Amino acid sequence: MKIDTDKKIVLIGLDGVPYNMIEEFSQDGTMPNMAKLISDGVFRKSESTIPEISSVAWSSTITGKNPGEHGIFGFTDLHKNSYQLKFPNFNDLKEEPFWQQWDCESVIINVPSTYPSHEINGVHISGFVSIDINKSVSPSSLIPTLMDMDYRLDVDSSKAHESMDLFLEDLDKTLSARIDCYRYLWANRSWQFFMLVFTGTDRLMHFLYEAYEDKNHKYHDKFLEHFRKIDSVIGEISERISDKDTLLLMSDHGFERLDYDVYLNRLLIDENLLSFTAGANPSLENISNDTIAFVMDPGRVYINYSDKYPRGYVDRGDKDKIISKLKTLFSKLKISNKNVIRDIYTKDEIFFGKYIDDAPDLTLVANEGFNLKAMMKTPGLYSKGIFTGKHTQDTAFLLAKGISSDAIGEKPKVSDVRSILESTIK
Amino acid sequence: MSRSLDHLDKLENQSIFIIREAYSQFRNIALLWSIGKDSTTLMWLVRKAFFGKIPFPILHIDTTYKFKEIYDFRDKYAKEWGLNLIVARNEDAVANGMGPDKSKFECCNQLKTIALKQAIAREKFKALLLGIRRDEHGIRAKERVFSPRDEDFEWDYKDQPPELWDQYKTKATEEEHLRVHPLLGWIEVDIWDYVKRENIPIPELYFAKNGKRFRSIGCECCCGPVESDADTIDKIVQELKTTQISERSGRAQDKEDDYMMQKLRSLGYM
Ligand SMILES: [Zn+2]
């Protein structure tokens, strides 16, 4: 695919920002530039992947593919035929991101799950979970420039566990550095595709969603300030492009208030469907050989098949029986009189592609307020901790300028972004 | 400039994370400072974690039998680092003439264990930061990063809480205090490497004088020096490396995985 030489495509990601928040902030004056784009463009609620986490959602965004095709099902996975944890990264993505297939120069900044960075026709700076700056920047000759601008790969979220003030300070520094980086590359590189993702929004909402909801909250203004700063960048970018160009803003999933963290493995343990070798720590590596199923973050349920795992127990012939048992168990789960689980999908219902074998046997989506977790050692079946916000699957947003509403459709999915952008390229 | 994490950076990061997490969970916390190299290294990390200003007290259990150098060192750095130093003694036992000549075990119990217990009760500490390393002997090696003790300081195997990372919601109950071990991932050589890298001050007793040095320091009466000519940190590290085989850093991928896990956990995954 070739982009006309005088055309530019710009994709801005706001990690985790829900449709309703954009709507509210564009109406109440917090994000005036966003408001202007909404009145000039197409603004839609969009759907994240299932499961609704950044690693999967961004992988689907940049490839336009189903997780069964690109092979990323979460931040964590297991090595083949074992219970040993692995952290899938950009090298495990089985489909090429679209920028590799567009015949143009690109600048890619901070897209989650693109670590380690790959050499491309242009610049690629990887996003969460990036560890080593030396493996995060292509070309590496850019590293000294980034270090000079105090570029930060990610907010240090551990700070929030100690002091919100320190966390917010770091969040703001990270955003400033990201903005400096975008400005520098926008001006100093030739490019036709520019992609920039702001991830601080997601971190902010994990810890301080309550500060968004509560106008009297100590950090309410800080919360708004972060969005104002991003809005000013959006205004700047809108000014810098022409009518021929395409601008698409999006989030990879939405957010809402978190009422309870719910520990699904705990439920399985309590129901004697999951146990551990005698005397050993409750962890995946120590699963006992009579375990029926286990969960990985956020709500990925795997059946402990005897032909798949070293201490597998379940015969393939019993699949339907086990699935129906698990479905009943999860669908009945209630906390404070509310059903915890909204939807339960078998792998065939939502996944397709070459790597479907690696997909979870069941994937759960929670009802409002419930955050599904796979933690093994927990204070109980559920609790309320430091986190006040959680991801949502069906309230992401998409906002486009220079793209017809037909090309976008009524309820786009993150995996449609690729074809939506390509509809503007001949 | 490289940000890749070497072994010490990783240990430092982990320890600082544990320290901050412990403080955020149990505001009423103290650092137990024996003035030895491990707890002084821990002090260094705590200062780093809070940018030079430690927001909680430093507890020193004074048996009254410590080396003079230890008292001098303590007072010098308590002043220099602006520490909120609490010196605790079992005054009754001291007044009654308790000493190693009575019974070494009873001396330790009265002047250390009981003195500590009294101090915790008096100050109502919910948690203590200790500089225990993984390669220390016996039961200590089994300690988790957080370990609870009940009022009688009995080891409670059944009531072991999960490791630090899964611990966000668990609070210490009224009856017990929690022992937090930010150095549990370190071994002796790591401490020395780090003391050297960071130029952390430690008492002179560790360095060889007249062919002898102390590998650990405490009460004058109960510490024997070892034969050694190691009068610099480099020589001490060399001595340790030749006297014991230590498995150092794992593969680079393992380190990266550890760090990823830490990042994911700070966002509530896993
Ligand atoms: Zn998130």
PDB file of all heavy atoms in Angstrom, chain A residues 156-162, chain B residues 11-24 45 49 146 164-165 168 182 262-263 265-267:
ATOM      1  N   ASP A 156       6.381   5.341  36.599  1.00  0.00           N
ATOM      2  CA  ASP A 156       6.715   4.380  37.635  1.00  0.00           C
ATOM      3  C   ASP A 156       5.494   4.180  38.531  1.00  0.00           C
ATOM      4  O   ASP A 156       5.299   4.889  39.511  1.00  0.00           O
ATOM      5  CB  ASP A 156       7.915   4.883  38.432  1.00  0.00           C
ATOM      6  CG  ASP A 156       8.321   3.906  39.528  1.00  0.00           C
ATOM      7  OD1 ASP A 156       7.684   2.837  39.637  1.00  0.00           O
ATOM      8  OD2 ASP A 156       9.269   4.211  40.261  1.00  0.00           O
ATOM      9  N   SER A 157       4.673   3.195  38.170  1.00  0.00           N
ATOM     10  CA  SER A 157       3.411   2.988  38.891  1.00  0.00           C
ATOM     11  C   SER A 157       3.634   2.529  40.324  1.00  0.00           C
ATOM     12  O   SER A 157       2.742   2.646  41.157  1.00  0.00           O
ATOM     13  CB  SER A 157       2.548   1.954  38.179  1.00  0.00           C
ATOM     14  OG  SER A 157       2.233   2.411  36.887  1.00  0.00           O
ATOM     15  N   SER A 158       4.819   1.992  40.607  1.00  0.00           N
ATOM     16  CA  SER A 158       5.057   1.552  41.983  1.00  0.00           C
ATOM     17  C   SER A 158       5.004   2.744  42.934  1.00  0.00           C
ATOM     18  O   SER A 158       4.708   2.593  44.111  1.00  0.00           O
ATOM     19  CB  SER A 158       6.409   0.840  42.087  1.00  0.00           C
ATOM     20  OG  SER A 158       7.462   1.747  41.907  1.00  0.00           O
ATOM     21  N   LYS A 159       5.268   3.920  42.418  1.00  0.00           N
ATOM     22  CA  LYS A 159       5.219   5.117  43.267  1.00  0.00           C
ATOM     23  C   LYS A 159       3.820   5.349  43.846  1.00  0.00           C
ATOM     24  O   LYS A 159       3.679   5.857  44.954  1.00  0.00           O
ATOM     25  CB  LYS A 159       5.630   6.358  42.461  1.00  0.00           C
ATOM     26  CG  LYS A 159       7.112   6.412  42.130  1.00  0.00           C
ATOM     27  CD  LYS A 159       7.535   7.836  41.798  1.00  0.00           C
ATOM     28  CE  LYS A 159       9.026   8.031  41.890  1.00  0.00           C
ATOM     29  NZ  LYS A 159       9.743   7.862  40.634  1.00  0.00           N
ATOM     30  N   ALA A 160       2.802   4.978  43.076  1.00  0.00           N
ATOM     31  CA  ALA A 160       1.431   5.208  43.546  1.00  0.00           C
ATOM     32  C   ALA A 160       1.132   4.404  44.803  1.00  0.00           C
ATOM     33  O   ALA A 160       0.273   4.777  45.591  1.00  0.00           O
ATOM     34  CB  ALA A 160       0.434   4.855  42.450  1.00  0.00           C
ATOM     35  N   HIS A 161       1.857   3.303  44.981  1.00  0.00           N
ATOM     36  CA  HIS A 161       1.630   2.473  46.164  1.00  0.00           C
ATOM     37  C   HIS A 161       2.216   3.120  47.408  1.00  0.00           C
ATOM     38  O   HIS A 161       1.957   2.711  48.525  1.00  0.00           O
ATOM     39  CB  HIS A 161       2.232   1.089  45.959  1.00  0.00           C
ATOM     40  CG  HIS A 161       1.575   0.336  44.845  1.00  0.00           C
ATOM     41  ND1 HIS A 161       0.564  -0.567  45.056  1.00  0.00           N
ATOM     42  CD2 HIS A 161       1.748   0.395  43.509  1.00  0.00           C
ATOM     43  CE1 HIS A 161       0.166  -1.058  43.896  1.00  0.00           C
ATOM     44  NE2 HIS A 161       0.862  -0.490  42.941  1.00  0.00           N
ATOM     45  N   GLU A 162       3.045   4.121  47.181  1.00  0.00           N
ATOM     46  CA  GLU A 162       3.721   4.755  48.311  1.00  0.00           C
ATOM     47  C   GLU A 162       3.219   6.174  48.514  1.00  0.00           C
ATOM     48  O   GLU A 162       2.872   6.575  49.610  1.00  0.00           O
ATOM     49  CB  GLU A 162       5.226   4.732  48.039  1.00  0.00           C
ATOM     50  CG  GLU A 162       6.053   5.390  49.088  1.00  0.00           C
ATOM     51  CD  GLU A 162       6.897   6.461  48.479  1.00  0.00           C
ATOM     52  OE1 GLU A 162       7.494   6.214  47.401  1.00  0.00           O
ATOM     53  OE2 GLU A 162       6.945   7.556  49.055  1.00  0.00           O
TER      54      GLU A 162
ATOM     55  N   LEU B  11      18.638  -5.487  42.504  1.00  0.00           N
ATOM     56  CA  LEU B  11      18.447  -5.669  43.948  1.00  0.00           C
ATOM     57  C   LEU B  11      17.995  -4.364  44.589  1.00  0.00           C
ATOM     58  O   LEU B  11      17.091  -4.348  45.424  1.00  0.00           O
ATOM     59  CB  LEU B  11      19.756  -6.134  44.587  1.00  0.00           C
ATOM     60  CG  LEU B  11      20.200  -7.563  44.264  1.00  0.00           C
ATOM     61  CD1 LEU B  11      21.584  -7.822  44.826  1.00  0.00           C
ATOM     62  CD2 LEU B  11      19.205  -8.578  44.818  1.00  0.00           C
ATOM     63  N   GLU B  12      18.633  -3.290  44.183  1.00  0.00           N
ATOM     64  CA  GLU B  12      18.293  -1.979  44.738  1.00  0.00           C
ATOM     65  C   GLU B  12      16.832  -1.650  44.449  1.00  0.00           C
ATOM     66  O   GLU B  12      16.083  -1.248  45.347  1.00  0.00           O
ATOM     67  CB  GLU B  12      19.214  -0.912  44.142  1.00  0.00           C
ATOM     68  CG  GLU B  12      18.901   0.494  44.611  1.00  0.00           C
ATOM     69  CD  GLU B  12      19.758   1.542  43.908  1.00  0.00           C
ATOM     70  OE1 GLU B  12      19.344   2.009  42.832  1.00  0.00           O
ATOM     71  OE2 GLU B  12      20.828   1.877  44.408  1.00  0.00           O
ATOM     72  N   ASN B  13      16.422  -1.850  43.213  1.00  0.00           N
ATOM     73  CA  ASN B  13      15.033  -1.574  42.828  1.00  0.00           C
ATOM     74  C   ASN B  13      14.054  -2.385  43.657  1.00  0.00           C
ATOM     75  O   ASN B  13      13.060  -1.868  44.153  1.00  0.00           O
ATOM     76  CB  ASN B  13      14.807  -1.932  41.351  1.00  0.00           C
ATOM     77  CG  ASN B  13      15.277  -0.829  40.442  1.00  0.00           C
ATOM     78  OD1 ASN B  13      15.431   0.312  40.871  1.00  0.00           O
ATOM     79  ND2 ASN B  13      15.523  -1.173  39.204  1.00  0.00           N
ATOM     80  N   GLN B  14      14.351  -3.672  43.784  1.00  0.00           N
ATOM     81  CA  GLN B  14      13.452  -4.545  44.542  1.00  0.00           C
ATOM     82  C   GLN B  14      13.354  -4.073  45.983  1.00  0.00           C
ATOM     83  O   GLN B  14      12.260  -3.969  46.536  1.00  0.00           O
ATOM     84  CB  GLN B  14      13.975  -5.984  44.538  1.00  0.00           C
ATOM     85  CG  GLN B  14      13.692  -6.710  43.244  1.00  0.00           C
ATOM     86  CD  GLN B  14      14.386  -8.074  43.202  1.00  0.00           C
ATOM     87  OE1 GLN B  14      15.259  -8.359  44.013  1.00  0.00           O
ATOM     88  NE2 GLN B  14      13.987  -8.909  42.253  1.00  0.00           N
ATOM     89  N   SER B  15      14.512  -3.790  46.570  1.00  0.00           N
ATOM     90  CA  SER B  15      14.519  -3.404  47.980  1.00  0.00           C
ATOM     91  C   SER B  15      13.761  -2.102  48.185  1.00  0.00           C
ATOM     92  O   SER B  15      12.977  -1.969  49.123  1.00  0.00           O
ATOM     93  CB  SER B  15      15.952  -3.254  48.483  1.00  0.00           C
ATOM     94  OG  SER B  15      16.621  -4.484  48.363  1.00  0.00           O
ATOM     95  N   ILE B  16      13.997  -1.150  47.310  1.00  0.00           N
ATOM     96  CA  ILE B  16      13.332   0.147  47.452  1.00  0.00           C
ATOM     97  C   ILE B  16      11.823  -0.022  47.294  1.00  0.00           C
ATOM     98  O   ILE B  16      11.028   0.566  48.023  1.00  0.00           O
ATOM     99  CB  ILE B  16      13.919   1.173  46.450  1.00  0.00           C
ATOM    100  CG1 ILE B  16      15.318   1.589  46.922  1.00  0.00           C
ATOM    101  CG2 ILE B  16      13.015   2.401  46.327  1.00  0.00           C
ATOM    102  CD1 ILE B  16      16.033   2.556  46.024  1.00  0.00           C
ATOM    103  N   PHE B  17      11.448  -0.886  46.374  1.00  0.00           N
ATOM    104  CA  PHE B  17      10.016  -1.147  46.194  1.00  0.00           C
ATOM    105  C   PHE B  17       9.409  -1.729  47.476  1.00  0.00           C
ATOM    106  O   PHE B  17       8.359  -1.299  47.941  1.00  0.00           O
ATOM    107  CB  PHE B  17       9.803  -2.099  45.013  1.00  0.00           C
ATOM    108  CG  PHE B  17       8.353  -2.244  44.648  1.00  0.00           C
ATOM    109  CD1 PHE B  17       7.797  -1.423  43.675  1.00  0.00           C
ATOM    110  CD2 PHE B  17       7.543  -3.162  45.283  1.00  0.00           C
ATOM    111  CE1 PHE B  17       6.460  -1.528  43.348  1.00  0.00           C
ATOM    112  CE2 PHE B  17       6.207  -3.281  44.963  1.00  0.00           C
ATOM    113  CZ  PHE B  17       5.664  -2.465  43.994  1.00  0.00           C
ATOM    114  N   ILE B  18      10.108  -2.681  48.051  1.00  0.00           N
ATOM    115  CA  ILE B  18       9.614  -3.322  49.273  1.00  0.00           C
ATOM    116  C   ILE B  18       9.522  -2.296  50.405  1.00  0.00           C
ATOM    117  O   ILE B  18       8.539  -2.251  51.142  1.00  0.00           O
ATOM    118  CB  ILE B  18      10.533  -4.496  49.684  1.00  0.00           C
ATOM    119  CG1 ILE B  18      10.439  -5.616  48.640  1.00  0.00           C
ATOM    120  CG2 ILE B  18      10.166  -5.023  51.075  1.00  0.00           C
ATOM    121  CD1 ILE B  18      11.559  -6.627  48.716  1.00  0.00           C
ATOM    122  N   ILE B  19      10.544  -1.461  50.508  1.00  0.00           N
ATOM    123  CA  ILE B  19      10.582  -0.447  51.569  1.00  0.00           C
ATOM    124  C   ILE B  19       9.393   0.507  51.430  1.00  0.00           C
ATOM    125  O   ILE B  19       8.669   0.768  52.386  1.00  0.00           O
ATOM    126  CB  ILE B  19      11.915   0.340  51.499  1.00  0.00           C
ATOM    127  CG1 ILE B  19      13.086  -0.554  51.935  1.00  0.00           C
ATOM    128  CG2 ILE B  19      11.850   1.598  52.369  1.00  0.00           C
ATOM    129  CD1 ILE B  19      14.449  -0.062  51.490  1.00  0.00           C
ATOM    130  N   ARG B  20       9.182   0.984  50.215  1.00  0.00           N
ATOM    131  CA  ARG B  20       8.071   1.925  49.998  1.00  0.00           C
ATOM    132  C   ARG B  20       6.730   1.257  50.247  1.00  0.00           C
ATOM    133  O   ARG B  20       5.820   1.837  50.829  1.00  0.00           O
ATOM    134  CB  ARG B  20       8.118   2.454  48.559  1.00  0.00           C
ATOM    135  CG  ARG B  20       9.250   3.418  48.327  1.00  0.00           C
ATOM    136  CD  ARG B  20       9.253   3.822  46.872  1.00  0.00           C
ATOM    137  NE  ARG B  20      10.259   4.851  46.625  1.00  0.00           N
ATOM    138  CZ  ARG B  20      10.719   5.145  45.426  1.00  0.00           C
ATOM    139  NH1 ARG B  20      10.279   4.505  44.359  1.00  0.00           N
ATOM    140  NH2 ARG B  20      11.625   6.088  45.272  1.00  0.00           N
ATOM    141  N   GLU B  21       6.631   0.026  49.781  1.00  0.00           N
ATOM    142  CA  GLU B  21       5.386  -0.717  49.954  1.00  0.00           C
ATOM    143  C   GLU B  21       5.108  -0.937  51.442  1.00  0.00           C
ATOM    144  O   GLU B  21       3.982  -0.776  51.913  1.00  0.00           O
ATOM    145  CB  GLU B  21       5.497  -2.050  49.221  1.00  0.00           C
ATOM    146  CG  GLU B  21       4.280  -2.916  49.317  1.00  0.00           C
ATOM    147  CD  GLU B  21       3.037  -2.254  48.768  1.00  0.00           C
ATOM    148  OE1 GLU B  21       3.146  -1.307  47.947  1.00  0.00           O
ATOM    149  OE2 GLU B  21       1.944  -2.648  49.198  1.00  0.00           O
ATOM    150  N   ALA B  22       6.147  -1.291  52.185  1.00  0.00           N
ATOM    151  CA  ALA B  22       5.987  -1.528  53.616  1.00  0.00           C
ATOM    152  C   ALA B  22       5.526  -0.245  54.307  1.00  0.00           C
ATOM    153  O   ALA B  22       4.612  -0.256  55.125  1.00  0.00           O
ATOM    154  CB  ALA B  22       7.301  -2.016  54.221  1.00  0.00           C
ATOM    155  N   TYR B  23       6.149   0.858  53.921  1.00  0.00           N
ATOM    156  CA  TYR B  23       5.776   2.125  54.551  1.00  0.00           C
ATOM    157  C   TYR B  23       4.342   2.511  54.197  1.00  0.00           C
ATOM    158  O   TYR B  23       3.574   2.975  55.041  1.00  0.00           O
ATOM    159  CB  TYR B  23       6.744   3.230  54.140  1.00  0.00           C
ATOM    160  CG  TYR B  23       6.361   4.591  54.687  1.00  0.00           C
ATOM    161  CD1 TYR B  23       6.314   4.821  56.049  1.00  0.00           C
ATOM    162  CD2 TYR B  23       6.027   5.630  53.833  1.00  0.00           C
ATOM    163  CE1 TYR B  23       5.945   6.053  56.563  1.00  0.00           C
ATOM    164  CE2 TYR B  23       5.658   6.868  54.328  1.00  0.00           C
ATOM    165  CZ  TYR B  23       5.613   7.077  55.694  1.00  0.00           C
ATOM    166  OH  TYR B  23       5.237   8.290  56.180  1.00  0.00           O
ATOM    167  N   SER B  24       3.964   2.301  52.951  1.00  0.00           N
ATOM    168  CA  SER B  24       2.614   2.708  52.565  1.00  0.00           C
ATOM    169  C   SER B  24       1.569   1.823  53.240  1.00  0.00           C
ATOM    170  O   SER B  24       0.455   2.237  53.481  1.00  0.00           O
ATOM    171  CB  SER B  24       2.451   2.711  51.047  1.00  0.00           C
ATOM    172  OG  SER B  24       2.376   1.404  50.566  1.00  0.00           O
ATOM    173  N   LEU B  45      19.423   2.386  51.575  1.00  0.00           N
ATOM    174  CA  LEU B  45      18.323   2.167  50.621  1.00  0.00           C
ATOM    175  C   LEU B  45      17.057   2.914  51.062  1.00  0.00           C
ATOM    176  O   LEU B  45      16.328   3.454  50.244  1.00  0.00           O
ATOM    177  CB  LEU B  45      18.032   0.664  50.506  1.00  0.00           C
ATOM    178  CG  LEU B  45      19.116  -0.141  49.779  1.00  0.00           C
ATOM    179  CD1 LEU B  45      18.977  -1.621  50.093  1.00  0.00           C
ATOM    180  CD2 LEU B  45      19.036   0.097  48.277  1.00  0.00           C
ATOM    181  N   ALA B  49      15.005   5.588  49.091  1.00  0.00           N
ATOM    182  CA  ALA B  49      13.575   5.407  48.815  1.00  0.00           C
ATOM    183  C   ALA B  49      12.788   6.661  49.155  1.00  0.00           C
ATOM    184  O   ALA B  49      11.757   6.939  48.546  1.00  0.00           O
ATOM    185  CB  ALA B  49      13.035   4.206  49.601  1.00  0.00           C
ATOM    186  N   PHE B 146       7.902 -10.483  53.954  1.00  0.00           N
ATOM    187  CA  PHE B 146       7.149 -10.080  55.140  1.00  0.00           C
ATOM    188  C   PHE B 146       6.979 -11.316  56.015  1.00  0.00           C
ATOM    189  O   PHE B 146       6.599 -12.361  55.514  1.00  0.00           O
ATOM    190  CB  PHE B 146       5.728  -9.629  54.772  1.00  0.00           C
ATOM    191  CG  PHE B 146       5.631  -8.229  54.281  1.00  0.00           C
ATOM    192  CD1 PHE B 146       5.048  -7.967  53.057  1.00  0.00           C
ATOM    193  CD2 PHE B 146       6.095  -7.177  55.035  1.00  0.00           C
ATOM    194  CE1 PHE B 146       4.933  -6.667  52.593  1.00  0.00           C
ATOM    195  CE2 PHE B 146       5.976  -5.874  54.580  1.00  0.00           C
ATOM    196  CZ  PHE B 146       5.398  -5.614  53.361  1.00  0.00           C
ATOM    197  N   LEU B 164       5.300 -10.574  49.513  1.00  0.00           N
ATOM    198  CA  LEU B 164       5.044  -9.137  49.402  1.00  0.00           C
ATOM    199  C   LEU B 164       4.049  -8.746  48.332  1.00  0.00           C
ATOM    200  O   LEU B 164       3.110  -8.006  48.577  1.00  0.00           O
ATOM    201  CB  LEU B 164       6.369  -8.439  49.101  1.00  0.00           C
ATOM    202  CG  LEU B 164       6.226  -6.996  48.636  1.00  0.00           C
ATOM    203  CD1 LEU B 164       5.998  -6.103  49.817  1.00  0.00           C
ATOM    204  CD2 LEU B 164       7.429  -6.578  47.864  1.00  0.00           C
ATOM    205  N   TRP B 165       4.264  -9.242  47.144  1.00  0.00           N
ATOM    206  CA  TRP B 165       3.548  -8.690  46.004  1.00  0.00           C
ATOM    207  C   TRP B 165       2.047  -8.933  46.072  1.00  0.00           C
ATOM    208  O   TRP B 165       1.275  -8.187  45.526  1.00  0.00           O
ATOM    209  CB  TRP B 165       4.096  -9.270  44.708  1.00  0.00           C
ATOM    210  CG  TRP B 165       5.565  -9.188  44.668  1.00  0.00           C
ATOM    211  CD1 TRP B 165       6.454 -10.214  44.791  1.00  0.00           C
ATOM    212  CD2 TRP B 165       6.349  -8.008  44.526  1.00  0.00           C
ATOM    213  NE1 TRP B 165       7.719  -9.737  44.723  1.00  0.00           N
ATOM    214  CE2 TRP B 165       7.688  -8.402  44.553  1.00  0.00           C
ATOM    215  CE3 TRP B 165       6.037  -6.647  44.366  1.00  0.00           C
ATOM    216  CZ2 TRP B 165       8.733  -7.493  44.427  1.00  0.00           C
ATOM    217  CZ3 TRP B 165       7.084  -5.751  44.240  1.00  0.00           C
ATOM    218  CH2 TRP B 165       8.403  -6.168  44.274  1.00  0.00           C
ATOM    219  N   TYR B 168      -0.962  -6.572  49.147  1.00  0.00           N
ATOM    220  CA  TYR B 168      -1.453  -5.213  49.255  1.00  0.00           C
ATOM    221  C   TYR B 168      -2.560  -5.031  50.273  1.00  0.00           C
ATOM    222  O   TYR B 168      -2.656  -4.025  50.931  1.00  0.00           O
ATOM    223  CB  TYR B 168      -1.966  -4.709  47.908  1.00  0.00           C
ATOM    224  CG  TYR B 168      -0.898  -4.582  46.887  1.00  0.00           C
ATOM    225  CD1 TYR B 168      -1.107  -5.000  45.577  1.00  0.00           C
ATOM    226  CD2 TYR B 168       0.329  -4.057  47.230  1.00  0.00           C
ATOM    227  CE1 TYR B 168      -0.118  -4.905  44.638  1.00  0.00           C
ATOM    228  CE2 TYR B 168       1.326  -3.963  46.281  1.00  0.00           C
ATOM    229  CZ  TYR B 168       1.108  -4.385  44.988  1.00  0.00           C
ATOM    230  OH  TYR B 168       2.085  -4.290  44.054  1.00  0.00           O
ATOM    231  N   PRO B 182      13.749  -6.241  53.376  1.00  0.00           N
ATOM    232  CA  PRO B 182      14.023  -5.758  52.016  1.00  0.00           C
ATOM    233  C   PRO B 182      15.318  -6.309  51.417  1.00  0.00           C
ATOM    234  O   PRO B 182      15.505  -6.243  50.211  1.00  0.00           O
ATOM    235  CB  PRO B 182      14.131  -4.237  52.195  1.00  0.00           C
ATOM    236  CG  PRO B 182      13.454  -3.948  53.497  1.00  0.00           C
ATOM    237  CD  PRO B 182      13.711  -5.140  54.347  1.00  0.00           C
ATOM    238  N   GLN B 262       7.506  -7.103  38.025  1.00  0.00           N
ATOM    239  CA  GLN B 262       7.397  -5.994  38.973  1.00  0.00           C
ATOM    240  C   GLN B 262       6.513  -4.880  38.402  1.00  0.00           C
ATOM    241  O   GLN B 262       5.660  -4.330  39.092  1.00  0.00           O
ATOM    242  CB  GLN B 262       8.806  -5.478  39.262  1.00  0.00           C
ATOM    243  CG  GLN B 262       8.880  -4.505  40.409  1.00  0.00           C
ATOM    244  CD  GLN B 262      10.335  -4.183  40.744  1.00  0.00           C
ATOM    245  OE1 GLN B 262      11.210  -5.030  40.645  1.00  0.00           O
ATOM    246  NE2 GLN B 262      10.596  -2.955  41.135  1.00  0.00           N
ATOM    247  N   LYS B 263       6.720  -4.577  37.131  1.00  0.00           N
ATOM    248  CA  LYS B 263       5.938  -3.507  36.500  1.00  0.00           C
ATOM    249  C   LYS B 263       4.464  -3.902  36.397  1.00  0.00           C
ATOM    250  O   LYS B 263       3.570  -3.106  36.666  1.00  0.00           O
ATOM    251  CB  LYS B 263       6.493  -3.177  35.114  1.00  0.00           C
ATOM    252  CG  LYS B 263       7.900  -2.622  35.150  1.00  0.00           C
ATOM    253  CD  LYS B 263       8.119  -1.590  34.068  1.00  0.00           C
ATOM    254  CE  LYS B 263       7.379  -0.350  34.375  1.00  0.00           C
ATOM    255  NZ  LYS B 263       8.037   0.904  34.287  1.00  0.00           N
ATOM    256  N   ARG B 265       2.917  -6.042  38.239  1.00  0.00           N
ATOM    257  CA  ARG B 265       2.320  -6.131  39.572  1.00  0.00           C
ATOM    258  C   ARG B 265       1.990  -4.757  40.140  1.00  0.00           C
ATOM    259  O   ARG B 265       1.008  -4.610  40.857  1.00  0.00           O
ATOM    260  CB  ARG B 265       3.245  -6.906  40.511  1.00  0.00           C
ATOM    261  CG  ARG B 265       3.087  -8.375  40.265  1.00  0.00           C
ATOM    262  CD  ARG B 265       3.999  -9.212  41.095  1.00  0.00           C
ATOM    263  NE  ARG B 265       3.602 -10.617  40.939  1.00  0.00           N
ATOM    264  CZ  ARG B 265       4.359 -11.626  41.271  1.00  0.00           C
ATOM    265  NH1 ARG B 265       5.539 -11.442  41.788  1.00  0.00           N
ATOM    266  NH2 ARG B 265       3.930 -12.857  41.088  1.00  0.00           N
ATOM    267  N   SER B 266       2.791  -3.777  39.798  1.00  0.00           N
ATOM    268  CA  SER B 266       2.489  -2.444  40.323  1.00  0.00           C
ATOM    269  C   SER B 266       1.175  -1.929  39.741  1.00  0.00           C
ATOM    270  O   SER B 266       0.548  -1.035  40.281  1.00  0.00           O
ATOM    271  CB  SER B 266       3.636  -1.472  40.042  1.00  0.00           C
ATOM    272  OG  SER B 266       3.732  -1.200  38.662  1.00  0.00           O
ATOM    273  N   LEU B 267       0.740  -2.536  38.630  1.00  0.00           N
ATOM    274  CA  LEU B 267      -0.550  -2.166  38.054  1.00  0.00           C
ATOM    275  C   LEU B 267      -1.645  -3.167  38.407  1.00  0.00           C
ATOM    276  O   LEU B 267      -2.732  -3.132  37.841  1.00  0.00           O
ATOM    277  CB  LEU B 267      -0.428  -2.053  36.534  1.00  0.00           C
ATOM    278  CG  LEU B 267       0.137  -0.717  36.058  1.00  0.00           C
ATOM    279  CD1 LEU B 267       0.400  -0.754  34.560  1.00  0.00           C
ATOM    280  CD2 LEU B 267      -0.840   0.417  36.380  1.00  0.00           C
TER     281      LEU B 267
END
